[in-house]
Amino acid sequence: MKQVTMTEAEYDRFCEFRGAEKTIHAIRGQTKLQVMKYEELAQAVDEAFAIRIDGSEVIVLDQERAAYALRLAAEMQE
């Protein structure tokens, strides 16, 4: 173990840096969770609905997956 001596100002800057580092880590974790939720929603929509290329018709393929997709979308809006 190595012991380091620093001034109070240096220690304060170090603490600020560590705080910023922890904040960035938390933001990255939240972003990763959001991406996972968006991918889950996209997959649920893909499995639940068939949509005509021109957008004129939406066909429900699986009602349970459609309900699940709607719940996911509602959760993401909260």
Coordinates of all heavy atoms in Angstrom, one line a residue:
M1 N 0.9 -1.2 0.0 CA 0.0 0.0 0.0 C 0.9 1.2 0.0 O 1.9 1.3 0.7 CB -0.9 0.0 1.2 CG -1.9 1.2 1.2 SD -2.9 1.3 2.7 CE -4.1 -0.1 2.3
K2 N 0.5 2.2 -0.8 CA 1.3 3.4 -0.9 C 0.5 4.6 -0.2 O -0.7 4.7 -0.4 CB 1.5 3.7 -2.4 CG 2.3 4.9 -2.7 CD 2.6 5.1 -4.2 CE 3.4 6.3 -4.4 NZ 3.6 6.4 -5.9
Q3 N 1.3 5.4 0.6 CA 0.7 6.5 1.2 C 1.0 7.8 0.5 O 2.2 8.0 0.1 CB 1.1 6.6 2.7 CG 0.5 7.7 3.4 CD 0.9 7.7 4.9 OE1 1.6 6.8 5.4 NE2 0.4 8.7 5.6
V4 N 0.0 8.6 0.2 CA 0.2 9.8 -0.6 C -0.1 11.0 0.3 O -1.2 11.0 1.0 CB -0.6 9.8 -1.9 CG1 -0.4 11.1 -2.6 CG2 -0.3 8.6 -2.7
T5 N 0.7 12.0 0.3 CA 0.4 13.2 1.0 C 0.0 14.3 0.0 O 0.6 14.5 -1.0 CB 1.6 13.7 1.8 OG1 2.1 12.6 2.7 CG2 1.3 14.9 2.7
M6 N -1.1 15.0 0.4 CA -1.6 16.1 -0.5 C -2.1 17.2 0.3 O -2.5 17.0 1.5 CB -2.6 15.6 -1.5 CG -3.8 15.0 -1.0 SD -5.0 14.4 -2.2 CE -4.3 12.8 -2.6
T7 N -2.2 18.4 -0.3 CA -2.8 19.5 0.4 C -4.3 19.4 0.5 O -4.9 18.5 -0.2 CB -2.4 20.8 -0.4 OG1 -3.1 20.8 -1.6 CG2 -0.9 21.0 -0.5
E8 N -4.9 20.2 1.3 CA -6.4 20.2 1.4 C -7.0 20.5 0.1 O -8.0 19.9 -0.3 CB -6.8 21.1 2.5 CG -8.3 21.0 2.8 CD -8.7 21.8 4.0 OE1 -7.9 22.2 4.8 OE2 -9.9 22.2 4.0
A9 N -6.5 21.5 -0.7 CA -7.0 21.9 -2.0 C -6.9 20.7 -3.0 O -7.8 20.4 -3.7 CB -6.3 23.1 -2.5
E10 N -5.8 20.0 -2.9 CA -5.6 18.9 -3.8 C -6.6 17.8 -3.5 O -7.1 17.1 -4.4 CB -4.1 18.3 -3.7 CG -3.1 19.2 -4.4 CD -1.7 18.8 -4.1 OE1 -1.4 18.2 -3.0 OE2 -0.8 19.0 -4.9
Y11 N -6.8 17.6 -2.2 CA -7.7 16.5 -1.7 C -9.2 16.9 -2.2 O -9.9 16.0 -2.6 CB -7.6 16.4 -0.2 CG -8.6 15.3 0.3 CD1 -8.4 14.0 0.1 CD2 -9.8 15.7 1.0 CE1 -9.2 13.0 0.5 CE2 -10.7 14.7 1.4 CZ -10.4 13.4 1.2 OH -11.3 12.4 1.6
D12 N -9.5 18.2 -2.0 CA -10.8 18.6 -2.5 C -11.0 18.4 -4.0 O -12.1 17.9 -4.4 CB -11.0 20.1 -2.1 CG -11.2 20.4 -0.7 OD1 -11.4 19.4 0.1 OD2 -11.0 21.5 -0.2
R13 N -10.0 18.7 -4.8 CA -10.1 18.4 -6.2 C -10.2 17.0 -6.5 O -11.0 16.5 -7.4 CB -8.9 19.0 -7.0 CG -9.0 20.6 -7.1 CD -8.0 21.1 -8.1 NE -6.6 20.7 -7.8 CZ -5.8 21.5 -7.1 NH1 -6.2 22.7 -6.6 NH2 -4.6 21.1 -6.8
F14 N -9.5 16.1 -5.8 CA -9.6 14.7 -5.9 C -11.0 14.2 -5.6 O -11.5 13.4 -6.4 CB -8.5 14.0 -5.0 CG -8.7 12.5 -4.9 CD1 -8.2 11.7 -6.0 CD2 -9.3 11.9 -3.8 CE1 -8.4 10.4 -5.9 CE2 -9.4 10.6 -3.8 CZ -9.0 9.8 -4.8
C15 N -11.6 14.7 -4.5 CA -12.9 14.3 -4.2 C -13.9 14.7 -5.3 O -14.9 14.0 -5.6 CB -13.3 14.9 -2.8 SG -12.4 14.1 -1.5
E16 N -13.8 15.9 -5.8 CA -14.6 16.4 -6.9 C -14.5 15.5 -8.1 O -15.5 15.1 -8.7 CB -14.3 17.8 -7.3 CG -14.7 18.8 -6.3 CD -14.2 20.2 -6.6 OE1 -13.7 20.4 -7.7 OE2 -14.3 21.1 -5.8
F17 N -13.3 15.1 -8.4 CA -13.0 14.2 -9.6 C -13.7 12.8 -9.3 O -14.4 12.3 -10.2 CB -11.5 14.0 -9.8 CG -11.2 13.0 -10.8 CD1 -11.3 13.3 -12.2 CD2 -10.8 11.7 -10.5 CE1 -11.0 12.3 -13.1 CE2 -10.6 10.7 -11.4 CZ -10.7 11.1 -12.8
R18 N -13.5 12.3 -8.1 CA -14.2 11.0 -7.8 C -15.7 11.1 -7.9 O -16.3 10.2 -8.4 CB -13.7 10.5 -6.4 CG -12.3 10.2 -6.3 CD -11.9 9.0 -7.1 NE -12.6 7.8 -6.5 CZ -12.6 6.6 -7.1 NH1 -12.0 6.4 -8.2 NH2 -13.2 5.6 -6.5
G19 N -16.2 12.2 -7.4 CA -17.7 12.4 -7.5 C -18.1 12.5 -9.0 O -19.2 11.8 -9.3
A20 N -17.4 13.2 -9.8 CA -17.7 13.2 -11.2 C -17.6 11.9 -11.9 O -18.5 11.5 -12.7 CB -16.8 14.2 -11.9
E21 N -16.6 11.1 -11.5 CA -16.4 9.8 -12.0 C -17.6 8.9 -11.7 O -18.1 8.1 -12.5 CB -15.1 9.2 -11.5 CG -14.6 8.0 -12.1 CD -13.2 7.5 -11.5 OE1 -13.1 7.4 -10.3 OE2 -12.3 7.4 -12.3
K22 N -18.0 8.9 -10.4 CA -19.2 8.1 -10.0 C -20.4 8.5 -10.7 O -21.2 7.7 -11.1 CB -19.4 8.2 -8.5 CG -18.3 7.5 -7.7 CD -18.5 7.7 -6.2 CE -17.3 7.0 -5.4 NZ -17.5 7.2 -4.0
T23 N -20.6 9.8 -10.9 CA -21.8 10.3 -11.7 C -21.8 9.8 -13.1 O -22.8 9.3 -13.6 CB -21.8 11.9 -11.7 OG1 -21.9 12.3 -10.3 CG2 -23.0 12.4 -12.5
I24 N -20.7 9.8 -13.8 CA -20.6 9.3 -15.1 C -20.9 7.9 -15.2 O -21.6 7.4 -16.1 CB -19.2 9.6 -15.7 CG1 -19.0 11.2 -16.0 CG2 -18.9 8.9 -17.0 CD1 -17.6 11.6 -16.3
H25 N -20.4 7.1 -14.2 CA -20.6 5.7 -14.2 C -22.1 5.4 -14.0 O -22.7 4.5 -14.7 CB -19.8 5.1 -13.0 CG -19.9 3.6 -12.9 ND1 -19.4 2.7 -13.8 CD2 -20.6 2.8 -12.0 CE1 -19.7 1.5 -13.5 NE2 -20.4 1.5 -12.4
A26 N -22.8 6.2 -13.1 CA -24.2 6.0 -12.9 C -25.0 6.3 -14.2 O -25.9 5.6 -14.5 CB -24.7 6.9 -11.8
I27 N -24.6 7.4 -14.9 CA -25.3 7.8 -16.1 C -25.1 6.7 -17.2 O -26.1 6.4 -17.9 CB -24.8 9.2 -16.6 CG1 -25.3 10.3 -15.6 CG2 -25.3 9.4 -18.0 CD1 -24.6 11.6 -15.9
R28 N -23.9 6.2 -17.3 CA -23.7 5.1 -18.3 C -24.6 3.9 -17.9 O -25.1 3.2 -18.8 CB -22.2 4.7 -18.3 CG -21.4 5.7 -19.0 CD -20.0 5.2 -19.1 NE -19.1 6.2 -19.8 CZ -17.8 6.4 -19.6 NH1 -17.2 5.6 -18.7 NH2 -17.2 7.3 -20.3
G29 N -24.7 3.6 -16.7 CA -25.6 2.4 -16.3 C -27.0 2.7 -16.6 O -27.7 1.8 -17.1
Q30 N -27.5 3.9 -16.3 CA -28.9 4.2 -16.7 C -29.1 4.2 -18.2 O -30.2 3.7 -18.6 CB -29.2 5.6 -16.1 CG -29.3 5.7 -14.6 CD -29.5 7.1 -14.1 OE1 -29.3 8.1 -14.9 NE2 -29.8 7.3 -12.9
T31 N -28.2 4.7 -18.9 CA -28.3 4.7 -20.4 C -28.3 3.2 -20.9 O -29.2 2.9 -21.8 CB -27.1 5.4 -21.0 OG1 -27.1 6.8 -20.5 CG2 -27.2 5.5 -22.5
K32 N -27.5 2.4 -20.4 CA -27.5 1.0 -20.8 C -28.9 0.3 -20.5 O -29.4 -0.4 -21.3 CB -26.4 0.2 -20.1 CG -26.2 -1.2 -20.5 CD -25.0 -1.8 -19.9 CE -24.8 -3.3 -20.4 NZ -23.7 -3.9 -19.8
L33 N -29.4 0.6 -19.3 CA -30.8 0.1 -19.0 C -31.8 0.6 -19.9 O -32.7 -0.2 -20.3 CB -31.1 0.4 -17.5 CG -30.4 -0.3 -16.4 CD1 -30.8 0.2 -15.1 CD2 -30.7 -1.8 -16.5
Q34 N -31.8 1.9 -20.3 CA -32.7 2.4 -21.2 C -32.6 1.8 -22.6 O -33.7 1.4 -23.2 CB -32.5 3.9 -21.4 CG -33.1 4.7 -20.2 CD -32.8 6.2 -20.4 OE1 -31.8 6.6 -21.0 NE2 -33.8 7.0 -20.0
V35 N -31.4 1.5 -23.1 CA -31.2 0.9 -24.4 C -31.8 -0.5 -24.3 O -32.5 -1.0 -25.3 CB -29.7 0.9 -24.8 CG1 -29.5 -0.1 -25.9 CG2 -29.3 2.3 -25.1
M36 N -31.6 -1.2 -23.2 CA -32.1 -2.6 -23.1 C -33.7 -2.6 -23.1 O -34.3 -3.4 -23.8 CB -31.6 -3.2 -21.8 CG -30.1 -3.6 -21.8 SD -29.5 -4.1 -20.3 CE -30.5 -5.5 -19.8
K37 N -34.3 -1.6 -22.5 CA -35.7 -1.5 -22.5 C -36.3 -1.1 -23.9 O -37.3 -1.7 -24.3 CB -36.2 -0.4 -21.5 CG -36.2 -0.8 -20.1 CD -36.8 0.2 -19.2 CE -37.0 -0.4 -17.8 NZ -38.0 0.2 -17.0
Y38 N -35.6 -0.2 -24.6 CA -36.0 0.1 -26.0 C -35.9 -1.1 -26.9 O -36.8 -1.4 -27.7 CB -35.2 1.2 -26.5 CG -35.5 2.6 -26.0 CD1 -34.4 3.4 -25.5 CD2 -36.8 3.0 -25.9 CE1 -34.7 4.6 -24.9 CE2 -37.1 4.3 -25.3 CZ -36.0 5.1 -24.8 OH -36.3 6.3 -24.3
E39 N -34.8 -1.9 -26.7 CA -34.7 -3.1 -27.5 C -35.8 -4.2 -27.2 O -36.3 -4.8 -28.1 CB -33.3 -3.7 -27.3 CG -32.2 -2.9 -27.9 CD -30.8 -3.4 -27.6 OE1 -30.6 -4.3 -26.8 OE2 -29.9 -2.9 -28.2
E40 N -36.1 -4.3 -25.9 CA -37.2 -5.2 -25.5 C -38.5 -4.7 -26.1 O -39.3 -5.6 -26.6 CB -37.3 -5.2 -23.9 CG -38.3 -6.2 -23.4 CD -38.3 -6.2 -21.9 OE1 -37.6 -5.4 -21.2 OE2 -39.1 -7.0 -21.3
L41 N -38.8 -3.4 -26.0 CA -40.0 -2.9 -26.6 C -40.1 -3.2 -28.1 O -41.1 -3.6 -28.7 CB -40.2 -1.4 -26.3 CG -41.4 -0.7 -27.0 CD1 -42.7 -1.4 -26.5 CD2 -41.3 0.8 -26.6
A42 N -39.0 -2.9 -28.8 CA -38.9 -3.1 -30.3 C -39.2 -4.6 -30.6 O -39.9 -4.9 -31.5 CB -37.6 -2.7 -30.8
Q43 N -38.6 -5.5 -29.8 CA -38.8 -6.9 -30.1 C -40.3 -7.3 -29.8 O -40.9 -8.0 -30.6 CB -37.9 -7.8 -29.2 CG -38.1 -9.2 -29.4 CD -37.1 -10.1 -28.6 OE1 -36.3 -9.6 -27.9 NE2 -37.3 -11.4 -28.7
A44 N -40.9 -6.8 -28.7 CA -42.3 -7.1 -28.4 C -43.2 -6.6 -29.5 O -44.1 -7.3 -29.9 CB -42.7 -6.5 -27.1
V45 N -42.9 -5.4 -30.0 CA -43.8 -4.8 -31.1 C -43.6 -5.6 -32.4 O -44.6 -5.9 -33.1 CB -43.4 -3.3 -31.4 CG1 -44.0 -2.8 -32.6 CG2 -43.8 -2.5 -30.2
D46 N -42.4 -6.0 -32.7 CA -42.1 -6.8 -33.9 C -42.8 -8.2 -33.8 O -43.4 -8.6 -34.8 CB -40.6 -7.0 -34.0 CG -40.2 -7.7 -35.3 OD1 -40.8 -7.2 -36.4 OD2 -39.4 -8.6 -35.3
E47 N -42.9 -8.8 -32.6 CA -43.6 -10.1 -32.4 C -45.1 -9.9 -32.4 O -45.8 -10.9 -32.7 CB -43.1 -10.7 -31.2 CG -41.6 -11.2 -31.3 CD -41.1 -11.7 -29.9 OE1 -41.8 -11.6 -28.9 OE2 -39.9 -12.1 -29.9
A48 N -45.6 -8.8 -32.0 CA -47.0 -8.6 -31.7 C -47.8 -8.1 -32.9 O -49.0 -8.4 -33.1 CB -47.2 -7.7 -30.6
F49 N -47.1 -7.3 -33.8 CA -47.8 -6.6 -34.9 C -47.2 -6.8 -36.2 O -46.0 -7.0 -36.3 CB -47.9 -5.1 -34.6 CG -48.5 -4.7 -33.3 CD1 -47.7 -4.3 -32.2 CD2 -49.9 -4.6 -33.2 CE1 -48.3 -3.9 -31.1 CE2 -50.4 -4.2 -32.0 CZ -49.7 -3.9 -30.9
A50 N -48.0 -6.8 -37.2 CA -47.6 -6.8 -38.6 C -48.1 -5.4 -39.2 O -49.3 -5.1 -39.1 CB -48.1 -7.9 -39.4
I51 N -47.2 -4.7 -39.8 CA -47.6 -3.4 -40.3 C -47.3 -3.3 -41.8 O -46.2 -3.7 -42.2 CB -46.8 -2.3 -39.6 CG1 -47.1 -2.3 -38.0 CG2 -47.2 -0.9 -40.1 CD1 -46.2 -1.5 -37.2
R52 N -48.3 -2.9 -42.5 CA -48.1 -2.8 -44.0 C -47.0 -1.7 -44.2 O -46.9 -0.8 -43.5 CB -49.4 -2.3 -44.7 CG -50.4 -3.5 -44.8 CD -51.6 -3.0 -45.6 NE -52.2 -4.2 -46.1 CZ -52.4 -4.5 -47.4 NH1 -52.2 -3.6 -48.3 NH2 -53.0 -5.6 -47.7
I53 N -46.3 -1.9 -45.3 CA -45.2 -1.0 -45.6 C -45.7 0.5 -45.8 O -45.0 1.4 -45.3 CB -44.5 -1.4 -46.9 CG1 -43.8 -2.8 -46.7 CG2 -43.5 -0.4 -47.4 CD1 -43.2 -3.4 -47.9
D54 N -46.8 0.6 -46.3 CA -47.3 2.0 -46.5 C -48.0 2.5 -45.2 O -48.5 3.7 -45.2 CB -48.3 2.1 -47.7 CG -49.6 1.2 -47.5 OD1 -49.7 0.6 -46.4 OD2 -50.4 1.2 -48.4
G55 N -48.1 1.7 -44.2 CA -48.6 2.2 -42.9 C -50.1 2.2 -42.9 O -50.7 2.7 -41.9
S56 N -50.8 1.7 -43.9 CA -52.3 1.8 -44.0 C -53.0 0.8 -43.1 O -54.2 0.9 -42.8 CB -52.7 1.6 -45.4 OG -52.4 0.3 -45.9
E57 N -52.2 -0.3 -42.6 CA -52.9 -1.3 -41.8 C -52.0 -1.9 -40.8 O -50.8 -2.1 -41.1 CB -53.4 -2.4 -42.8 CG -54.2 -3.5 -42.1 CD -54.7 -4.6 -43.0 OE1 -54.2 -4.6 -44.2 OE2 -55.5 -5.4 -42.6
V58 N -52.5 -2.1 -39.6 CA -51.7 -2.7 -38.5 C -52.5 -4.0 -38.1 O -53.7 -3.9 -37.8 CB -51.6 -1.8 -37.3 CG1 -50.9 -2.5 -36.1 CG2 -50.8 -0.5 -37.7
I59 N -51.9 -5.1 -38.2 CA -52.5 -6.4 -37.8 C -51.9 -6.9 -36.5 O -50.7 -7.0 -36.4 CB -52.2 -7.4 -39.0 CG1 -52.8 -6.9 -40.3 CG2 -52.9 -8.8 -38.6 CD1 -52.3 -7.6 -41.5
V60 N -52.8 -7.3 -35.6 CA -52.3 -7.8 -34.3 C -52.1 -9.3 -34.5 O -53.0 -10.1 -34.9 CB -53.3 -7.6 -33.2 CG1 -52.9 -8.2 -31.9 CG2 -53.6 -6.1 -33.0
L61 N -50.8 -9.7 -34.3 CA -50.5 -11.1 -34.5 C -50.6 -11.9 -33.2 O -51.0 -13.1 -33.2 CB -49.0 -11.3 -35.0 CG -48.7 -10.6 -36.4 CD1 -47.2 -10.7 -36.6 CD2 -49.5 -11.3 -37.5
D62 N -50.3 -11.2 -32.1 CA -50.3 -11.9 -30.8 C -50.8 -10.9 -29.8 O -50.2 -9.9 -29.4 CB -48.9 -12.3 -30.4 CG -48.8 -13.1 -29.1 OD1 -49.7 -12.9 -28.3 OD2 -47.8 -13.9 -29.0
Q63 N -52.0 -11.1 -29.2 CA -52.7 -10.1 -28.3 C -51.9 -10.0 -27.0 O -51.8 -8.9 -26.5 CB -54.1 -10.5 -28.1 CG -55.0 -10.3 -29.2 CD -56.5 -10.6 -28.9 OE1 -56.8 -11.3 -28.0 NE2 -57.4 -10.0 -29.7
E64 N -51.4 -11.1 -26.5 CA -50.6 -11.0 -25.3 C -49.3 -10.2 -25.5 O -49.0 -9.4 -24.6 CB -50.3 -12.4 -24.8 CG -51.4 -13.2 -24.2 CD -51.0 -14.6 -23.7 OE1 -49.9 -14.7 -23.3 OE2 -51.9 -15.4 -23.7
R65 N -48.6 -10.4 -26.6 CA -47.4 -9.6 -26.8 C -47.8 -8.2 -27.1 O -47.0 -7.3 -26.7 CB -46.6 -10.2 -28.0 CG -45.9 -11.5 -27.8 CD -44.9 -11.5 -26.6 NE -43.7 -10.8 -27.0 CZ -42.7 -10.6 -26.2 NH1 -42.8 -11.0 -25.0 NH2 -41.6 -10.0 -26.6
A66 N -48.9 -7.9 -27.7 CA -49.4 -6.6 -28.0 C -49.6 -5.8 -26.7 O -49.2 -4.7 -26.5 CB -50.6 -6.6 -28.9
A67 N -50.3 -6.5 -25.7 CA -50.6 -5.9 -24.4 C -49.3 -5.7 -23.7 O -49.1 -4.6 -23.0 CB -51.5 -6.8 -23.6
Y68 N -48.4 -6.6 -23.8 CA -47.0 -6.5 -23.1 C -46.3 -5.3 -23.7 O -45.7 -4.4 -23.0 CB -46.2 -7.7 -23.3 CG -44.8 -7.7 -22.8 CD1 -44.6 -7.6 -21.4 CD2 -43.7 -7.7 -23.6 CE1 -43.3 -7.6 -20.9 CE2 -42.5 -7.6 -23.1 CZ -42.3 -7.6 -21.7 OH -41.0 -7.6 -21.2
A69 N -46.3 -5.1 -25.0 CA -45.7 -4.0 -25.7 C -46.3 -2.7 -25.3 O -45.6 -1.7 -25.0 CB -45.7 -4.1 -27.2
L70 N -47.6 -2.6 -25.1 CA -48.3 -1.4 -24.7 C -47.9 -1.1 -23.2 O -47.7 0.1 -22.9 CB -49.8 -1.5 -24.8 CG -50.3 -1.6 -26.3 CD1 -51.8 -1.9 -26.3 CD2 -50.0 -0.3 -27.0
R71 N -47.8 -2.1 -22.4 CA -47.4 -1.9 -21.0 C -45.9 -1.3 -20.9 O -45.6 -0.4 -20.2 CB -47.5 -3.2 -20.2 CG -48.9 -3.5 -19.7 CD -48.9 -4.6 -18.6 NE -48.2 -5.8 -19.0 CZ -48.7 -6.8 -19.7 NH1 -49.9 -6.7 -20.1 NH2 -48.0 -7.8 -19.9
L72 N -45.0 -1.9 -21.7 CA -43.7 -1.4 -21.8 C -43.6 0.0 -22.2 O -42.9 0.9 -21.6 CB -42.8 -2.3 -22.7 CG -42.3 -3.6 -22.3 CD1 -41.6 -4.4 -23.4 CD2 -41.4 -3.5 -21.1
A73 N -44.4 0.4 -23.3 CA -44.4 1.7 -23.8 C -44.9 2.7 -22.7 O -44.4 3.8 -22.6 CB -45.2 1.8 -25.1
A74 N -45.9 2.3 -22.0 CA -46.5 3.1 -20.9 C -45.5 3.4 -19.8 O -45.3 4.5 -19.3 CB -47.8 2.5 -20.4
E75 N -44.8 2.3 -19.4 CA -43.7 2.4 -18.4 C -42.6 3.4 -18.8 O -42.1 4.1 -18.0 CB -43.1 1.0 -18.1 CG -44.0 0.1 -17.4 CD -43.4 -1.3 -17.2 OE1 -42.2 -1.5 -17.5 OE2 -44.1 -2.2 -16.8
M76 N -42.3 3.4 -20.1 CA -41.2 4.2 -20.6 C -41.6 5.7 -20.6 O -40.7 6.6 -20.6 CB -40.7 3.7 -21.9 CG -40.1 2.3 -21.9 SD -39.8 1.6 -23.5 CE -38.3 2.5 -23.9
Q77 N -42.9 5.9 -20.7 CA -43.4 7.3 -20.7 C -43.4 7.9 -19.3 O -43.5 9.1 -19.1 CB -44.7 7.4 -21.4 CG -44.7 7.2 -22.8 CD -46.0 7.3 -23.5 OE1 -47.0 7.4 -22.8 NE2 -46.0 7.3 -24.8
E78 N -43.4 7.1 -18.3 CA -43.5 7.6 -16.9 C -42.3 8.3 -16.5 O -41.2 8.2 -16.9 CB -43.8 6.4 -15.9 CG -45.1 5.8 -16.1 CD -45.4 4.6 -15.2 OE1 -44.4 4.1 -14.6 OE2 -46.5 4.2 -15.2

